[in-house]
Amino acid sequence: MIPIQMVDLKRQYQKIKPQVDAAIQDVIDNTSFIHGKQEQDFARNLEQYLGVKKVIPCANGTDALQIALMALDLQPGDEVITPSFTFIATAEVIALLRLKPVFVDVDEDTFCLDIQQVKAAITSKTKAIIPVHLFGQSAEMESLMQLAEEHHLYVVEDNAQAIGGHYTFSNGVTQKTGTIGHIGCTSFFPSKNLGCYGDGGALTTNDEALGNKIRMIANHGQSKKYYHDMVGCNSRLDSLQAAILNVKLKYLDEYIVARRKAAARYTDAFKNISGLKTPFSSGNTLHVFHQYTLLVRDGKRDALHDYLSQKNIPSMIYYPVPAHHQKMFEGVSDIPAHLTVTDSIKNEVLSLPMHTELDEEQLAYITSAVLEFFS
Ligand SMILES: *Cc1c(COP(=O)(O)O)cnc(C)c1O
């Protein structure tokens, strides 16, 4: 059996090696390493794929979130609501810009924002909400957008884990995640669903004016060469990464199918284990399974993790410490006392190997190990 990894980027590369190698060589031959043709091509290709007006590439997903908040003209002390149960970057950029992160709980089924808690957390200082489409599942966007509209709030989607996923509204309209809020932010970190071979990220928006502003902010606030209208930053997707992404974007839908197939295999195998909660599948979202995350009940999570590890099956805890318990927010954000779901699932989450190259032999080995543990 091929050794099992959380993510197998090498075997994925081997299947597209000739195209990736040629794309890289082409960049080197043309020496247009920054703001080259590949970056523009990739932005246009991703716009088409997502069905969004503007894609602005940048250096990484964290920068995308920071630039998004910079584009909204928020004032120090303004409040931004976000789930505590997320990768730290989402909340970190809020504090970095001297805004106040307001942490809310997640829904135990979706691992995404609990809309009732968002509603309860809105004050006169609230300016924006950052839903995180965690593990590849869309947040409940219809009620969130309605709530945001009622209170005149911006919605910045953290789409780092869900690119290619979608959400269907009650009127039947389906939109890709990252194109529903005012701004979407994504990451091309190598292990993400659309990963490059280094760092990369992008912002997405259907608002042309916002798109132009984002482009300026990501480029030193520059309107034309050496004329700087606002304080921005330096955040670019280099041509090598863009060239690789142009190749990989063509395979994204195939990659999603492979991930969903592996997820279905896991879920089917675990359906009779009462101490496990398998990922929730909602009728109106396409879950793209950045992670396949179980809830292991009855305090058995760490024992299962160790058991799998003895069988050379990696598994990971995403995330062991929610944002509201991180030291970095001491004195920056209030510690909410009511994040009961977040505080309990942090001890139950366990993510199994999930990538595009899992084969039947590996899946059979992993599922039987989990079944053995519970038998
Ligand atoms: C990966 C990730 C980010 C940050 O992306 P980088 O490219 O690593 O900066 C932000 N939010 C979430 C939810 C992520 O998973």
Side-chain angles (χ1 to χ4, degrees):
M1 188 176 59
I2 296 159
I4 298 168
Q5 296 175 263
M6 280 305 285
V7 182
D8 192 337
L9 294 175
K10 191 160 182 181
R11 280 165 69 223
Q12 189 190 59
Y13 164 64
Q14 279 160 354
K15 289 185 180 163
I16 53 172
K17 180 174 177 358
Q19 295 165 67
V20 170
D21 291 1
I24 292 173
Q25 192 59 52
D26 187 47
V27 173
I28 298 169
D29 289 342
N30 289 296
T31 66
S32 176
F33 296 116
I34 296 290
H35 287 321
K37 177 181 179 299
Q38 289 81 4
E39 187 216 9
Q40 285 164 39
D41 287 350
F42 175 64
R44 301 299 86 79
N45 292 339
L46 190 58
E47 282 163 6
Q48 210 164 32
Y49 175 84
L50 293 173
V52 71
K53 282 201 182 123
K54 288 274 160 214
V55 166
I56 303 98
C58 67
N60 58 65
T62 308
D63 274 10
L65 290 160
Q66 180 188 327
I67 293 165
L69 291 177
M70 287 170 79
L72 299 179
D73 289 328
L74 307 181
Q75 300 305 313
D78 282 350
E79 295 176 2
V80 180
I81 298 172
T82 199
S84 174
F85 193 69
T86 179
F87 177 61
I88 197 66
T90 323
E92 183 185 32
V93 296
I94 300 172
L96 182 74
L97 295 171
R98 300 278 177 255
L99 306 166
K100 182 176 174 187
V102 174
F103 295 117
V104 295
D105 214 347
V106 290
D107 177 286
E108 197 191 66
D109 282 333
T110 62
F111 298 120
C112 296
L113 278 179
D114 175 331
I115 305 295
Q116 290 315 313
Q117 284 221 355
V118 175
K119 204 170 182 172
I122 294 172
T123 71
S124 59
K125 287 194 149 185
T126 307
K127 292 293 156 57
I129 306 167
I130 310 185
V132 182
H133 305 310
L134 204 69
F135 304 148
Q137 169 96 296
S138 175
E140 183 39 55
M141 291 306 285
E142 180 153 356
S143 40
L144 187 70
M145 292 309 291
Q146 272 167 10
L147 192 62
E149 207 168 307
E150 274 167 35
H151 296 268
H152 309 286
L153 306 175
Y154 289 110
V155 173
V156 175
E157 296 174 72
D158 183 339
N159 196 31
Q161 301 191 1
I163 194 161
H166 59 62
Y167 179 91
T168 304
F169 290 82
S170 53
N171 64 4
V173 172
T174 294
Q175 273 178 269
K176 288 232 161 73
T177 54
T179 72
I180 301 167
H182 300 87
I183 304 176
C185 299
T186 200
S187 163
F188 307 120
F189 184 82
S191 64
K192 296 283 155 81
N193 286 22
L194 178 62
C196 58
Y197 294 172
D199 271 314
L203 297 101
T204 47
T205 183
N206 281 307
D207 182 327
E208 300 258 356
L210 210 44
N212 291 334
K213 192 165 172 196
I214 288 166
R215 177 171 293 289
M216 280 173 65
I217 292 171
N219 189 23
H220 299 293
Q222 179 170 286
S223 54
K224 64 181 191 193
K225 207 163 176 65
Y226 303 125
Y227 289 79
H228 306 273
D229 296 358
M230 60 182 84
V231 174
C233 58
N234 171 29
S235 188
R236 327 181 260 234
L237 181 71
D238 66 67
S239 306
L240 283 170
Q241 302 307 336
I244 292 159
L245 288 166
N246 272 323
V247 174
K248 289 189 70 179
L249 180 58
K250 296 188 195 124
Y251 294 92
L252 180 56
D253 283 339
E254 263 177 51
Y255 291 159
I256 291 171
V257 169
R259 286 174 178 275
R260 286 176 53 83
K261 217 172 127 190
R265 180 78 174 76
Y266 282 142
T267 295
D268 186 55
F270 304 150
K271 61 177 183 274
N272 296 323
I273 306 177
S274 61
L276 269 190
K277 180 169 157 45
T278 55
F280 171 77
S281 87
S282 104
N284 66 331
T285 63
L286 181 79
H287 195 323
V288 294
F289 288 99
H290 175 58
Q291 300 296 342
Y292 183 90
T293 305
L294 296 164
L295 290 179
V296 188
R297 308 297 199 192
D298 314 314
K300 289 188 178 160
R301 193 265 312 273
D302 293 347
L304 176 58
H305 176 74
D306 292 345
Y307 185 81
L308 294 175
S309 150
Q310 279 160 27
K311 305 210 153 231
N312 295 316
I313 301 169
S315 62
M316 294 288 285
I317 295 160
Y318 301 122
Y319 297 93
V321 185
H324 73 286
H325 292 312
Q326 297 285 357
K327 264 196 192 156
M328 66 156 75
F329 298 119
E330 278 172 17
V332 171
S333 183
D334 312 320
I335 307 286
H338 53 281
L339 304 193
T340 47
V341 174
T342 298
D343 283 330
S344 87
I345 63 174
K346 73 176 202 299
N347 302 317
E348 298 184 338
V349 282
L350 191 67
S351 299
L352 295 184
M354 174 49 72
H355 55 79
T356 58
E357 311 303 312
L358 283 165
D359 61 34
E360 178 47 35
E361 192 185 10
Q362 294 174 314
L363 287 165
Y365 181 76
I366 299 166
T367 51
S368 28
V370 173
L371 287 164
E372 263 164 47
F373 174 83
F374 283 99
S375 67

